[in-house]
Amino acid sequence: IIHKKPKAGGISAVGGTGSIYTHYSPDAPEFATLMSDFTKKDLPTLMSNLDLPNEPLPLWWTADFINSDPGTPGTPCTID
């Protein structure tokens, strides 16, 4: 898991813009719910919607999660 944050005053976290990248292991506790929901709920739905319910995931595939909670960095994103 890579958390990308724009540099101070920036609006984009793409490469080459001075963004701050923080790396987390896939089992990082602060992302446990996100990972569980994504792998057990969202991915099966996505694969089914693509008419690929019984196919393995591609070897190289990324997913972006946009944090809409302006809370403390490194804490779970809460959705009310």
Side-chain angles (χ1 to χ4, degrees), residues 2 4 38 62-67:
I2 304 170
K4 302 175 185 179
F38 183 64
T62 66
D64 291 337
F65 298 95
I66 309 301
N67 187 356

Side-chain angles (χ1 to χ4, degrees), residues 10-49:
I11 60 169
S12 177
V14 297
T17 61
S19 303
I20 300 166
Y21 286 38
T22 306
H23 297 261
Y24 296 89
S25 67
D27 59 352
E30 55 267 62
F31 298 106
T33 301
L34 175 70
M35 289 296 293
S36 177
D37 287 349
F38 183 64
T39 58
K40 295 178 179 152
K41 297 176 185 175
D42 300 330
L43 277 178
T45 300
L46 175 63
M47 295 301 282
S48 179
N49 288 342

